[in-house]
Amino acid sequence: MNPVGQIQSEGQVRVVVCREGGSCVSIVQQSKTNWVLTEGAFAKLLSGLDSDPEHAGEKYEALRESLVKFLDWRGSLIPEELVDEAFNRVARKLDEGETIHDLPAFCHGVARLVFLQSLAHPGNNQVQLDNLPPMAAPGPVVSDVRRECFILCLQELSAESRQLITDYYQHEKRQKINHRLSLAESLGIAPNALRCRAQRVRDKLEQCIMRCCRKSNY
Amino acid sequence: MTTDQQEKLIRRYLLGELPEAEQTAFERELLADREKFDRVWATESRLVDSYVRGEVSRSDRERFEGHYLASPLHRERVAIAELFLQDLDEKTAEVPAAVRQAAPAVSWWSQLFAPMHRPQLPFGAAVAILLLLSCGAGWLYFERTRLTEQLVKLQEEAQAERSSRRQREQELARRAQEAEKENAGRQQDNEQLNAELEQFRRLRRQPGPPALLSFLLTPAPTRGQNVPPPQIPLVTNPVRLLMELNGSHYPSYRFRLQTVEGREIFSQSGGSGSGKDRAFATVTVPAGKLAKGDYVLILSGRTAAGAVEEIDQYFFQVK
């Protein structure tokens, strides 16, 4: 895994790192502090996860996904940005020569801290459903945009993925369990692997719809 | 931990019911166990789907709305799940229809309308059936519209009730806050008054500067005079003793107070004062020096040369 460079835009520095296979990961440095993430610091972060660059990249992605979901489940509005900020802080520590023994646990602690700090900003707080002003309820225009995005994003999925989530999530209760078992069997994978695969396709669809809705400025 | 217990723990985590420490510990477990992490993620999707389909209990729904839906990101996720499930339901409904089309078996539905397909069906009957179906569709549309309006109305009422309840709660909270503030003010006033009262009491309890009692002593009677010595009441205050100086003037005086037995009680050097046509030597005996008994005060004068000359002796009695 080799860092390919830094992209600076509107108060952010994003380091993009690509694997030999072609998949890339990125880490964002908000320019709130004077310190800017360097390729070297990011490489130290990766090597802290695994000495093998290929495995390090996979572990980084898995760790990032977990941390993003933790903050998402805790109700953060911007879990990805907060996790990137956490990685930034950890990379800085490593770059300054600090030794960290359990890097994933340390990153988790920092991400938690960054999340708690983010709660101090009023825009990042959760809002109780009852406390929402009536204007916040999605109007027909919003629903239409979301529906269009849904159709668009569903089309963007590969035929296999589309079929997979359709097959995986249909049916009810007991019938659903049996159906999933037979589906896993037909695909030649374990039920857990099927669940994981379906979940990721669903997440991909969800991310696509959210991005699409944001682009539509609703 | 059984699967059921694990499921409950996951749901508690997702619904924000775990204390911070347990939540953190649970996340650490998820970091270490990828499969468990995936299970939590799947449970989240299941929870969202159940909520969308109205399959959660009332308490779960309240917790879900109170915690999970507090995040705009989660609300967006639920809205997307609604679309997804709706699409899924539509697809599921299409499949049996396709199966029916392909199936060679004749269903009860087809059998019911079988006469319609016969060539000998009269045209009038077909029109009548068509009309009947149109009426049915119209009625269904009307009924659907009516129910939708009713639903919207109910939702609006519920929203209004929620707003009203919220306003009432805010009003109550405001009143409680005011009452608390008022109580705090009163308590502060009370404390201030108590402090002032206590200060006043303390001032009352404090003894004032001790009163100074003055007594004029006369010289010891000469032999043959049977005059009782002057009496001084036993007091706790200091006592000023005055002795008239009959023409003897010294730059300074010395006072020695003794019991009649000769035990010295007090001695002091001092000056003299003068009244109208009379001069006095004065000494102040501190409080507590005098007890009941007979005393003699020896008055001496110190000359300019430094010599001490006894002037007189004054007897008195403390009773």
Side-chain angles (χ1 to χ4, degrees):
Chain A
M1 190 176 248
N2 300 308
V4 294
Q6 297 179 1
I7 303 164
Q8 295 201 13
S9 65
E10 291 181 5
Q12 285 187 350
V13 176
R14 183 177 286 271
V15 174
V16 182
V17 181
C18 292
R19 279 194 271 167
E20 284 168 13
S23 65
C24 298
V25 292
S26 64
I27 189 164
V28 174
Q29 161 70 42
Q30 297 281 348
S31 58
K32 285 181 214 159
T33 57
N34 294 330
W35 191 83
V36 176
L37 178 71
T38 59
E39 292 172 18
F42 188 58
K44 277 180 193 167
L45 175 73
L46 290 177
S47 63
L49 290 169
D50 202 294
S51 53
D52 176 51
E54 192 75 16
H55 288 154
E58 285 166 10
K59 282 186 180 173
Y60 170 78
E61 285 174 69
L63 179 61
R64 188 174 183 280
E65 185 182 59
S66 299
L67 296 180
V68 167
K69 280 311 286 181
F70 292 164
L71 299 195
D72 173 347
W73 289 329
R74 279 171 180 254
S76 168
L77 304 189
I78 43 169
E80 295 196 15
E81 284 180 33
L82 297 186
V83 170
D84 285 339
E85 171 63 18
F87 276 129
N88 248 7
R89 292 188 190 181
V90 176
R92 183 182 181 174
K93 288 244 174 235
L94 290 168
D95 198 40
E96 285 168 353
E98 199 153 318
T99 311
I100 299 167
H101 295 295
D102 188 351
L103 195 54
F106 188 80
C107 290
H108 173 239
V110 176
R112 219 179 108 245
L113 183 76
V114 171
F115 167 67
L116 293 174
Q117 284 172 345
S118 79
L119 293 179
H121 300 284
N124 295 340
N125 289 338
Q126 293 187 348
V127 182
Q128 291 287 319
L129 197 60
D130 280 354
N131 297 338
L132 279 176
M135 290 296 286
V141 178
V142 174
S143 301
D144 287 348
V145 168
R146 195 183 289 123
R147 180 171 289 281
E148 280 171 22
C149 286
F150 173 76
I151 294 165
L152 205 72
C153 289
L154 204 60
Q155 291 305 315
E156 278 183 20
L157 291 178
S158 67
E160 293 80 21
S161 295
R162 220 167 28 239
Q163 191 60 48
L164 179 76
I165 53 167
T166 305
D167 285 348
Y168 185 81
Y169 287 105
Q170 65 181 199
H171 298 295
E172 300 291 323
K173 308 241 161 108
R174 186 69 220 165
Q175 202 186 346
K176 184 187 273 183
I177 297 167
N178 292 335
H179 179 74
R180 285 178 182 176
L181 284 172
S182 60
L183 186 63
E185 203 176 2
S186 68
L187 290 170
I189 54 174
N192 286 347
L194 174 67
R195 181 183 65 201
C196 187
R197 203 181 282 184
Q199 184 60 57
R200 269 158 187 77
V201 174
R202 185 172 173 166
D203 185 54
K204 193 176 169 185
L205 177 67
E206 186 185 285
Q207 295 296 325
C208 171
I209 296 168
M210 285 184 180
R211 269 197 310 275
C212 168
C213 288
R214 272 199 291 274
K215 267 188 210 164
S216 304
N217 285 329
Y218 90 86
Chain B
M1 198 183 278
T2 63
T3 314
D4 195 37
Q5 283 172 326
Q6 273 182 357
E7 184 73 14
K8 274 184 188 164
L9 180 67
I10 293 171
R11 285 172 88 93
R12 283 184 65 207
Y13 169 72
L14 292 171
L15 294 175
E17 290 171 3
L18 291 185
E20 177 61 31
E22 281 183 46
Q23 202 175 5
T24 307
F26 186 68
E27 285 173 353
R28 286 275 169 89
E29 276 180 44
L30 300 186
L31 266 187
D33 186 345
R34 192 70 194 167
E35 198 185 314
K36 199 168 185 179
F37 171 82
D38 286 332
R39 204 156 54 235
V40 176
W41 200 353
T43 306
E44 183 200 15
S45 297
R46 209 160 48 243
L47 198 62
V48 168
D49 293 353
S50 302
Y51 175 77
V52 170
R53 289 189 189 280
E55 292 169 351
V56 287
S57 66
R58 189 190 166 134
S59 56
D60 272 359
R61 194 184 70 231
E62 281 170 3
R63 278 197 290 272
F64 188 86
E65 288 174 350
H67 175 79
Y68 191 85
L69 289 188
S71 158
L73 201 63
H74 294 173
R75 287 199 288 277
E76 182 68 10
R77 185 166 295 143
V78 169
I80 291 169
E82 270 177 19
L83 285 173
F84 177 59
L85 295 177
Q86 200 181 335
D87 181 70
L88 211 62
D89 289 346
E90 282 166 11
K91 278 179 184 150
T92 314
E94 279 166 14
V95 173
V99 170
R100 268 200 309 276
Q101 273 182 351
V106 182
S107 68
W108 65 271
W109 182 255
S110 311
Q111 282 171 353
L112 185 68
F113 289 96
M116 288 176 68
H117 301 297
R118 288 176 194 155
Q120 66 269 31
L121 182 74
F123 178 72
V127 170
I129 288 167
L130 203 64
L131 271 173
L132 200 64
L133 284 171
S134 306
C135 287
W139 180 81
L140 277 174
Y141 177 76
F142 171 76
E143 192 62 11
R144 189 174 178 274
T145 313
R146 190 181 65 81
L147 284 171
T148 310
E149 280 170 3
Q150 210 172 344
L151 186 67
V152 169
K153 198 177 161 191
L154 281 171
Q155 280 173 342
E156 281 171 358
E157 278 174 7
Q159 177 69 28
E161 200 184 328
R162 272 205 296 270
S163 309
S164 159
R165 197 178 63 219
R166 209 162 42 244
Q167 274 177 355
R168 277 203 304 276
E169 282 171 0
Q170 281 169 354
E171 177 66 17
L172 280 171
R174 190 182 59 76
R175 282 188 196 167
Q177 209 173 357
E178 277 175 6
E180 208 174 313
K181 206 183 285 179
E182 205 175 318
N183 277 344
R186 278 186 191 153
Q187 200 174 344
Q188 202 175 351
D189 288 348
N190 275 346
E191 280 170 6
Q192 196 176 341
L193 284 171
N194 281 337
E196 282 173 13
L197 187 63
E198 186 56 33
Q199 196 179 358
F200 178 68
R201 281 177 182 155
R202 229 180 4 251
L203 284 171
R204 280 189 62 188
R205 273 199 300 271
Q206 271 177 359
L212 187 65
L213 301 172
S214 300
F215 297 95
L216 178 64
L217 300 180
T218 50
T222 52
R223 193 178 296 272
Q225 282 183 311
N226 192 14
V227 182
Q231 289 183 349
I232 293 175
L234 179 64
V235 290
T236 52
N237 300 7
V239 173
R240 185 165 66 166
L241 301 174
L242 292 93
M243 289 133 284
E244 191 168 2
L245 301 167
N246 294 321
S248 51
H249 292 291
Y250 292 88
S252 68
Y253 295 90
R254 182 174 173 75
F255 307 91
R256 280 166 56 216
L257 181 64
Q258 295 178 349
T259 62
V260 288
E261 290 84 15
R263 184 166 60 86
E264 187 163 309
I265 303 294
F266 168 74
S267 74
Q268 191 186 318
S269 296
S272 63
S274 62
K276 194 180 177 185
D277 307 327
R278 299 168 77 183
F280 299 97
T282 60
V283 61
T284 301
V285 182
K289 289 281 182 193
L290 296 171
K292 276 183 183 177
D294 295 318
Y295 294 90
V296 57
L297 180 72
I298 302 161
L299 174 65
S300 308
R302 188 184 291 272
T303 63
V308 177
E309 296 170 357
E310 187 174 306
I311 300 168
D312 221 332
Q313 292 190 356
Y314 300 83
F315 286 90
F316 63 93
Q317 196 173 39
V318 176
K319 289 190 86 174

